Amino acid sequence: MKEYDRVMLVVEKEKYLKEGVHKGMDGWICDPRNIDGQWLVCFDKANGLPEYPIIPVLEKDLVVVEEN
């Protein structure tokens, strides 16, 4: 995984649900750094939310759907 890759969340966890992010949602990695096994992901297709969630997500909870 790297910055600008489009990724999908493959788990349902409380810490993501609190931010309005659910299993199956996709977004893009918006920081080149992997910090403590987490990527900063912008879920830019989060319909119905007032802002796009930008949250740290564990790498193991993501799959790459499109490399950039």
Side-chain angles (χ1 to χ4, degrees), residues 42-53:
C42 175
F43 290 91
D44 59 345
K45 295 184 179 178
N47 297 331
L49 295 177
E51 294 182 5
Y52 295 141

Side-chain angles (χ1 to χ4, degrees), residues 1-7 27-30 64-68:
M1 289 182 193
K2 62 188 180 307
E3 187 177 22
Y4 303 120
D5 281 353
R6 184 154 285 278
V7 292
W28 57 281
I29 297 174
C30 56
V64 175
V65 293
E66 182 182 328
E67 288 188 32
N68 285 313

Side-chain angles (χ1 to χ4, degrees), residues 1 15 17 26 28 41 43 48 52 54 58 61 63 67:
M1 289 182 193
K15 66 180 181 177
L17 294 173
D26 68 309
W28 57 281
V41 179
F43 290 91
Y52 295 141
I54 301 174
L58 289 168
D61 294 344
V63 295
E67 288 188 32

Side-chain angles (χ1 to χ4, degrees), residues 9-65:
L9 187 65
V10 294
V11 297
E12 192 85 16
K13 289 186 176 177
E14 185 65 31
K15 66 180 181 177
Y16 305 139
L17 294 173
K18 288 179 182 179
E19 302 295 334
V21 178
H22 300 272
K23 180 180 178 180
M25 291 179 71
D26 68 309
W28 57 281
I29 297 174
C30 56
D31 189 312
R33 300 167 296 166
N34 178 309
I35 300 171
D36 295 329
Q38 299 181 96
W39 293 100
L40 192 61
V41 179
C42 175
F43 290 91
D44 59 345
K45 295 184 179 178
N47 297 331
L49 295 177
E51 294 182 5
Y52 295 141
I54 301 174
I55 62 171
V57 180
L58 289 168
E59 183 168 344
K60 68 179 185 162
D61 294 344
L62 298 168
V63 295
V64 175
V65 293

